[in-house]
Amino acid sequence: MSAATVGVQQYRPVERRVTPAGLLRSEWVKFWSVRSVVVTMVASVVATVGLGVLFSLAARSALSSGGAPAEAAVDPFTFSTMGAQFASLVVASLGVIIIAGEFSTGMIRTSFAAAPGRVGVLLAKAAVLAVNVLVLQGLAVFAAFLLGQAVLDTRDLGVSLGDDHVLRALVGTVVTLVGVSLIGLAVGALLRNSAGAIVTVVAALFVVPNLLGLVPDSWGGEEINKFFLTNTVSNLSSVTASPAYLDNGPGLAAFAGWVVVLGGLAVLALRRRDV
């Protein structure tokens, strides 16, 4: 056997397969290495806690000055979780950034070269995003609730975790935030442009629901309103149920359907469109 043959056998490259665990590690590192992502994640926590406390302080001040109508009309839970409504916009933007940002910089080509199937990259991003939003926003939502209720308790208006439907509403709020972040990820993968995807998500979450109220019931406006995006989980994230929205079980199922359908469209786009 010649020396050349021995050399070829000795230094033959070893094929390494990309594993789901490897993709998760990679996406986790990328998630916490991008400054804009870290800043957005921190901003979502600040919005949830800070605005929740500020709205609670404003409610207490209005009651102290006699500016509020009647104590029976005050919903203490809503005041302390108002920040989560604004945070939903932030986490949706976060979902857009972690995928559309890679398309704009060209980094996505490297990711897809390492995982040619492409779907694994999207699933890894979704898992990392969901875990981070679930943990950090879960802590933020409960902190906002406890701090807000401590403020309102000075007027004997606060509620506690043990009160009816409070814990379910807090969990529903966190679930909504996780779902909204995944919707942002799906829209970002579909549009591949951060600005366009963020504008689309903002319109879908804050503009379209208000416009749906103008659709006549004879045109199906009431049903459309019930089944549109986050409207589906309005009762799930509220202490007081409204007959205008879906019950908790059907609402959660409809919301999950939105996430799955948009995620499925994102998968098809990644498979069929060039980078």
Side-chain angles (χ1 to χ4, degrees), residues 18-19 23 27 108-122:
V18 177
T19 63
L23 285 174
E27 292 302 329
I108 198 70
R109 295 188 181 92
T110 303
S111 299
F112 287 164
R118 298 187 179 186
V119 177
V121 174
L122 182 64

Side-chain angles (χ1 to χ4, degrees), residues 121-138:
V121 174
L122 182 64
L123 293 178
K125 287 182 180 294
V128 169
L129 175 65
V131 168
N132 279 289
V133 173
L134 175 66
V135 173
L136 294 180
Q137 279 300 319

Side-chain angles (χ1 to χ4, degrees), residues 52-93:
V53 173
L54 286 176
F55 276 107
S56 298
L57 286 169
R60 186 185 67 175
S61 177
L63 288 169
S64 299
S65 62
E71 294 189 357
V74 176
D75 183 356
F77 178 87
T78 299
F79 285 124
S80 60
T81 56
M82 282 290 288
Q85 297 183 27
F86 291 91
S88 65
L89 170 60
V90 183
V91 296
S93 301

Side-chain angles (χ1 to χ4, degrees), residues 4-28:
T5 303
V6 173
V8 170
Q9 292 179 346
Q10 183 177 359
Y11 296 106
R12 184 173 60 185
V14 177
E15 183 180 354
R16 296 184 181 274
R17 297 181 60 187
V18 177
T19 63
L23 285 174
L24 287 172
R25 284 195 299 270
S26 174
E27 292 302 329
W28 185 275

Side-chain angles (χ1 to χ4, degrees), residues 147-250:
L147 292 173
Q149 298 313 305
V151 170
L152 293 171
D153 264 340
T154 60
R155 289 278 297 174
D156 296 326
L157 291 171
V159 295
S160 68
L161 284 173
D163 290 345
D164 291 342
H165 312 303
V166 169
L167 184 58
R168 184 263 303 154
L170 287 172
V171 173
T173 300
V174 178
V175 169
T176 301
L177 289 168
V178 173
V180 165
S181 70
L182 294 175
I183 288 172
L185 178 68
V187 173
L190 286 168
L191 300 185
R192 302 187 175 188
N193 178 275
S194 297
I198 290 174
V199 169
T200 300
V201 170
V202 171
L205 295 179
F206 289 94
V207 179
V208 176
N210 292 324
L211 296 179
L212 290 177
L214 302 177
V215 179
D217 291 344
S218 58
W219 293 4
E222 183 178 354
E223 293 303 312
I224 294 173
N225 189 55
K226 284 182 179 181
F227 285 93
F228 185 77
L229 279 180
T230 52
N231 286 355
T232 58
V233 285
S234 289
N235 282 334
L236 183 67
S237 55
S238 301
V239 172
T240 305
S242 169
Y245 298 107
L246 296 173
D247 292 335
N248 297 332

Side-chain angles (χ1 to χ4, degrees), residues 27 30 97-108 111 125:
E27 292 302 329
K30 283 194 289 185
I97 290 171
I98 66 172
I99 183 71
E102 287 198 32
F103 276 104
S104 63
T105 62
M107 181 65 185
I108 198 70
S111 299
K125 287 182 180 294

